[in-house]
Amino acid sequence: MSAPEVQPGWLARHGLARPVAMAMLVLFLLVPLLPGEYWTQVSTEVLILGLFAMSFNLLYGYMGQISFGHAAFFGVGAYASAMLFVRLKTAGGSIGMLDFFLSLLAGPPVAAFAALVVGFFCVRLTGIYFAMLSLAFGELLFYIVFSWYSFTKGDDGIQGLLPPLFFQDAVNYYYLTLAIVTLAFLVLWRITESPFGYIMRTLRDNQRRAAFLGINVRLHMLINFVIAGSFAGLAGALWGPFSRSVNPGLLGWQESGVAVFMTLIGGAGSLIGPLLGSVIYTLLQAVVKMYTVYWPLTIGTIILLIVLFLPGGVLGLIEKRLKARRSAGDGET
Amino acid sequence: MEAKDLKWDALTEHLKLSRRDFVFSVLASGALSLAPRLAAAQAAAAPYKIGVLLPSTGTGANYMAHCIKGLPVAIAELNKRGGLLGKHPVQMVYRDTETKPDVGSREAKSLILNDKVNAIFGTYSSAVALAIQEIIHEHKVLHFAATSNSSKITQENYTPYTYQFCPDSNMQSGAVVVAVSRMAKKNNWKSYVSLGQDYEWGRDTHKGFTTGLAKVSPEIKEARQMWFKLGETDFTSYITAIMAAKPDFMFGAVAGKDAETFMQQAGQMGLFKRVPFPGGLIAVNDLKAQRKTLPRGIIGLARCPFFAHLKEPIMQAYIKRDRAAFGADGYPDDWACMYYDALGGLEQGAKKAGSIGTEAIVKALKGATIDTCRGKRAFRDCSNQLEVPSYVGEVWDSPDYPFPIYKPDTMVLVEAKEVWTPTCQEVEQLKKKRA
């Protein structure tokens, strides 16, 4: 599997990382000012799926391995949270604030554990074999959830995940999601800019050389796999109360494809790229579906065009322009 | 002018008003007298929006094709009468659920929050229906289900806003039990093999059948059960295993594209010549699509076959209109028929309520009896499940149609009351608490 076209960290190299992140944060803060509840709902989805895509990019953009089974951890997080949610609900069908947050917290550790088990096997392989094994494990987890009626409610899914009254308000749940995603973003940023993050880049560029340098390749890949899984689990935990239900489709390969699409659209060259991809993908989906049933055709065409003409995604294009401008500037002086 | 002014003066003096006050008073009273007319005019223009959530891609798309193209025709006919209450034209907004619960939830939100629909018609899959019920209950929007038939929709996941126009999985299984027990006595059947789609509907249908049959005919034993994943394309191993088990008959919980594939492969391998298959879902669209390949004599199960109610005036008009719109072969299938009844239910609910308000219609439809393609039918008071029959019959070539139908003298119409499970008291206990 080839590494992403644009290398991570270029935004920081251009001194743009903070301004871009701040600009996005300000825009996200202003979303509830838009008329009607609908766009707040869409933006909540943007944030949750953005976090899911960012967690995927830890594997793809930073470690150089593509996973087609990453949604398994998104789904495991969603189910862990939902199952605890249902248990903590009162006889009247509502949930208290503390219990609600407890149920949200259940997602990441359970997803991390699932990632530890799956990752133990996956990190022994690289490239297409890593991708295929991750897909196989993803489908395995999907079928367990799909078929285990007595435990997971099978393909029915789990319904009735209505958050406490305060968070039933779309704007309040949006700001909760924004706060959690911002916090997660800062933690991910810290991780990717730490020595561990640079080891990931080394592993992406040349695993053999990294091994010669004394880096425990499998262990570092496994740690990264678990971190990515836990953040996907956090996104999944946020999904249940947002959607009011969870279902096995959240673990399926098509959901994994969503994270891949978002990362390709936004660009794997930065942490923020997948989030931008989520903005573009989710908004486009919301708008296109209002006018036509041909959404799969639309997104297929867009991905085709990006792969052919914008291999670094939208942010990759911006970087190329910036590089070109800088080269022109250097030439003039 | 002077004469006029004199009249003004006399009038204002008589009324003890200044000229300016008089003019204002006249304008105000004029405006007040016009207000009800303006309001009525506005009410006449207020449309009633229906959001339709059905798949045009993914599993079930082939089953929903006639519904998706047929509903606009039915709505146009309704609008010719002025719409709901004769003054609210109905508008339809369609969205593809892709037979995915998440997509269904998202599109339900979009329809309710963005398109401001008053009611949602759908969905195909029970899992999608269960997911969107959370959204419709929260936003207090009417939901008319007519294909997704898990019993959970009207029982465990009950909401007063959902109405079910399709026999639920328990009723359908019960109907097969009634039909099979009659056939078993006649043919001395003792064992059977089950084959089902490994998802909610398949499991639910199988459970309903095995439980029901064990009560009615405990001497008949299930020799084996087999489950296959949705979208299976090769049934060879299942067919071979069924034939090897040598059962007296087989039970199938198979629908959609999978049913078509299974029927074709099983027919080619000669399964139905060796093992009777009573009660497999064979709807009108299956009869039309597989008119050349469907084995004759096979015993099918249907939900709303037009040929069972040819004497009903609503059904007669419906067939005539759909054939006019879609050609000589445009007979409505079971699914379109049930959604047509759903639209009729909405119209009659609004009429009974004298309003298009959601709560008023909910109140009006509670336990109401409505006219449908399947005759006069009542909603079960405890669950909003319409009291509709199921149909079991032998596939047969009719001289009247370009595709096979169920042979009239073999058709068993099992009324809802024969297979009502659970009781209303049990339904009340099953209903989950909603916050």
Side-chain angles (χ1 to χ4, degrees):
Chain A
M1 202 60 46
S2 63
E5 184 80 8
V6 181
Q7 305 298 301
W10 67 269
L11 270 175
R13 286 197 297 276
H14 288 283
L16 289 172
R18 281 189 187 183
V20 169
M22 288 308 291
M24 282 187 85
L25 180 62
V26 170
L27 287 174
F28 275 124
L29 281 168
L30 295 175
V31 161
L33 296 177
L34 291 170
E37 186 188 322
Y38 180 61
W39 294 107
T40 305
Q41 293 272 6
V42 173
S43 303
T44 310
E45 193 174 331
V46 164
L47 288 169
I48 296 172
L49 294 180
L51 176 58
F52 171 45
M54 281 193 287
S55 73
F56 164 77
N57 201 34
L58 281 184
L59 302 178
Y60 179 58
Y62 289 85
M63 198 172 83
Q65 303 298 326
I66 192 160
S67 167
F68 288 127
H70 197 56
F73 312 118
F74 179 72
V76 165
Y79 265 86
S81 171
M83 288 162 93
L84 187 62
F85 189 109
V86 171
R87 280 196 173 266
L88 293 174
K89 272 202 314 190
T90 62
S94 58
I95 191 167
M97 198 63 96
L98 186 65
D99 289 341
F100 168 65
F101 280 106
L102 267 177
S103 71
L104 283 185
L105 287 175
V110 178
F113 178 72
L116 181 68
V117 175
V118 174
F120 178 79
F121 297 99
C122 287
V123 298
R124 283 150 206 279
L125 305 168
T126 55
I128 187 70
Y129 304 104
F130 179 97
M132 287 298 108
L133 195 60
S134 66
L135 175 65
F137 273 112
E139 288 302 281
L140 182 72
L141 286 170
F142 166 79
Y143 274 105
I144 289 172
V145 173
F146 191 86
S147 309
W148 198 352
Y149 278 78
S150 57
F151 188 56
T152 63
K153 311 274 182 201
D155 78 299
D156 266 5
I158 300 170
Q159 293 84 33
L161 306 176
L162 207 62
L165 198 62
F166 180 75
F167 289 119
Q168 284 176 29
D169 180 273
V171 174
N172 293 342
Y173 195 79
Y174 171 76
Y175 279 126
L176 171 73
T177 307
L178 181 60
I180 292 174
V181 172
T182 306
L183 201 64
F185 178 81
L186 291 172
V187 173
L188 284 170
W189 196 336
R190 187 74 192 85
I191 291 170
T192 55
E193 293 306 312
S194 70
F196 175 80
Y198 281 89
I199 288 175
M200 284 303 108
R201 291 168 170 87
T202 312
L203 294 180
R204 179 199 61 215
D205 295 339
N206 195 327
Q207 281 200 7
R208 190 170 291 176
R209 181 170 289 180
F212 279 134
L213 288 170
I215 293 168
N216 187 332
V217 173
R218 281 185 188 170
L219 179 66
H220 280 85
M221 282 175 74
L222 181 60
I223 292 170
N224 194 41
F225 200 92
V226 171
I227 292 170
S230 64
F231 279 95
L234 177 62
L238 285 167
W239 184 265
F242 165 67
S243 181
R244 313 306 198 223
S245 61
V246 295
N247 66 85
L250 298 177
L251 290 88
W253 63 270
Q254 287 175 313
E255 199 68 25
S256 296
V258 169
V260 177
F261 285 172
M262 286 175 174
T263 307
L264 285 176
I265 292 169
S270 70
L271 195 56
I272 220 161
L275 187 60
L276 181 66
S278 175
V279 173
I280 296 168
Y281 181 96
T282 312
L283 288 182
L284 204 62
Q285 185 182 36
V287 173
V288 169
K289 282 199 146 192
M290 283 179 198
Y291 300 101
T292 173
V293 295
Y294 298 110
W295 162 245
L297 182 71
T298 311
I299 191 66
T301 310
I302 289 168
I303 294 296
L304 193 72
L305 291 173
I306 284 178
V307 170
L308 289 175
F309 303 109
L310 288 176
V314 174
L315 286 183
L317 177 73
I318 295 171
E319 193 200 15
K320 274 186 184 171
R321 291 276 162 89
L322 284 172
K323 267 186 181 172
R325 189 176 290 179
R326 185 164 288 184
S327 306
D330 289 346
E332 281 170 18
T333 55
Chain B
M1 280 296 285
E2 200 178 319
K4 275 184 186 173
D5 281 348
L6 280 173
K7 279 181 187 171
W8 270 113
D9 289 342
L11 189 64
T12 51
E13 197 177 328
H14 175 72
L15 292 171
K16 299 194 184 317
L17 285 170
S18 70
R19 184 182 294 194
R20 196 179 61 179
D21 287 346
F22 177 80
V23 171
F24 274 124
S25 302
V26 168
L27 285 175
S29 60
L32 279 172
S33 67
L34 275 175
R37 291 184 186 188
L38 285 170
Q42 203 173 18
Y48 190 90
K49 281 191 171 182
I50 292 174
V52 175
L53 279 177
L54 293 170
S56 52
T57 53
T59 310
N62 60 329
Y63 270 40
M64 294 298 106
H66 197 112
C67 298
I68 295 167
K69 67 180 183 181
L71 266 172
V73 180
I75 288 170
E77 184 193 69
L78 173 59
N79 285 339
K80 275 185 194 168
R81 300 194 294 272
L84 298 184
L85 298 173
K87 59 182 178 182
H88 296 283
V90 176
Q91 291 176 0
M92 173 179 148
V93 187
Y94 169 71
R95 295 289 166 78
D96 181 9
T97 63
E98 301 170 29
T99 320
K100 292 176 188 166
D102 273 341
V103 178
S105 291
R106 184 189 296 129
E107 295 309 321
K109 278 184 194 172
S110 172
L111 286 170
I112 294 168
L113 299 172
N114 199 44
D115 295 288
K116 314 281 182 202
V117 299
N118 305 84
I120 285 181
F121 280 42
T123 62
Y124 167 75
S125 147
S126 293
V128 182
L130 291 167
I132 72 155
Q133 275 187 296
E134 301 304 318
I135 313 294
I136 63 107
H137 182 83
E138 192 178 347
H139 294 277
K140 295 180 170 46
V141 171
L142 284 171
H143 172 213
F144 292 83
T147 310
S148 46
N149 79 331
S150 166
S151 55
K152 286 180 183 168
I153 294 168
T154 52
Q155 294 172 18
E156 285 92 332
N157 216 39
Y158 171 84
T159 155
Y161 301 102
T162 295
Y163 291 83
Q164 177 64 278
F165 290 79
C166 177
D168 74 17
S169 47
N170 285 343
M171 293 157 75
Q172 289 258 277
S173 306
V176 179
V177 168
V178 170
V180 165
S181 60
R182 285 179 199 169
M183 292 172 193
K185 273 180 193 160
K186 192 178 160 188
N187 301 302
N188 197 28
W189 289 345
K190 296 290 177 204
S191 72
Y192 67 98
V193 166
S194 301
L195 176 72
Q197 283 171 315
D198 194 5
Y199 82 118
E200 166 56 19
W201 175 81
R203 295 269 176 184
D204 214 25
T205 303
H206 173 261
K207 189 182 163 192
F209 175 77
T210 48
T211 315
L213 193 66
K215 278 183 192 165
V216 179
S217 306
E219 71 282 5
I220 305 174
K221 303 290 178 199
E222 186 182 38
R224 192 174 171 186
Q225 48 179 270
M226 285 176 271
W227 300 97
F228 64 89
K229 66 179 195 306
L230 282 175
E232 180 64 69
T233 52
D234 184 4
F235 286 94
T236 312
S237 60
Y238 299 100
I239 295 164
T240 312
I242 294 166
M243 291 201 278
K246 295 181 180 171
D248 291 324
F249 70 97
M250 71 164 283
F251 170 74
V254 190
K257 186 73 185 162
D258 294 348
E260 200 174 320
T261 312
F262 170 70
M263 293 284 191
Q264 282 175 359
Q265 293 178 11
Q268 284 165 6
M269 290 176 73
L271 175 70
F272 302 127
K273 285 177 188 163
R274 295 168 67 173
V275 182
F277 178 27
L281 190 63
I282 304 176
V284 171
N285 58 304
D286 295 315
L287 294 166
K288 282 158 83 171
Q290 300 173 59
R291 64 186 75 189
K292 286 181 183 166
T293 56
L294 202 61
R296 303 316 190 241
I298 190 173
I299 302 152
L301 170 73
R303 295 188 190 177
C304 188
F306 70 89
F307 46 79
H309 293 287
L310 290 171
K311 287 179 184 168
E312 291 294 337
I314 295 180
M315 184 64 94
Q316 287 169 357
Y318 181 35
I319 294 170
K320 193 177 169 187
R321 205 207 48 235
D322 264 22
R323 288 190 75 202
F326 307 120
D329 206 29
Y331 290 94
D333 60 27
D334 300 45
W335 325 102
C337 165
M338 291 186 288
Y339 275 108
Y340 184 68
D341 279 345
L343 188 65
L346 172 65
E347 186 185 8
Q348 291 168 65
K351 191 177 175 184
K352 192 178 173 199
S355 160
I356 56 167
T358 299
E359 298 300 335
I361 295 175
V362 165
K363 207 174 162 187
L365 284 180
K366 189 82 177 162
T369 299
I370 58 168
D371 290 310
T372 73
C373 288
R374 294 162 279 182
K376 277 195 185 302
R377 300 284 165 188
F379 283 106
R380 200 181 192 193
D381 200 32
C382 58
S383 64
N384 292 344
Q385 165 69 55
L386 195 63
E387 205 176 274
V388 283
S390 299
Y391 311 79
V392 181
E394 198 175 288
V395 174
W396 163 78
D397 281 315
S398 164
D400 302 324
Y401 303 100
F403 49 84
I405 60 165
Y406 288 4
K407 196 173 183 182
D409 59 357
T410 65
M411 194 155 62
V412 180
L413 192 147
V414 184
E415 285 293 347
K417 282 177 183 168
E418 295 179 65
V419 288
W420 262 160
T421 52
T423 63
C424 257
Q425 204 177 1
E426 288 165 333
V427 170
E428 290 302 338
Q429 286 171 349
L430 284 171
K431 286 177 186 175
K432 73 177 180 191
K433 291 276 184 292
R434 286 188 179 274

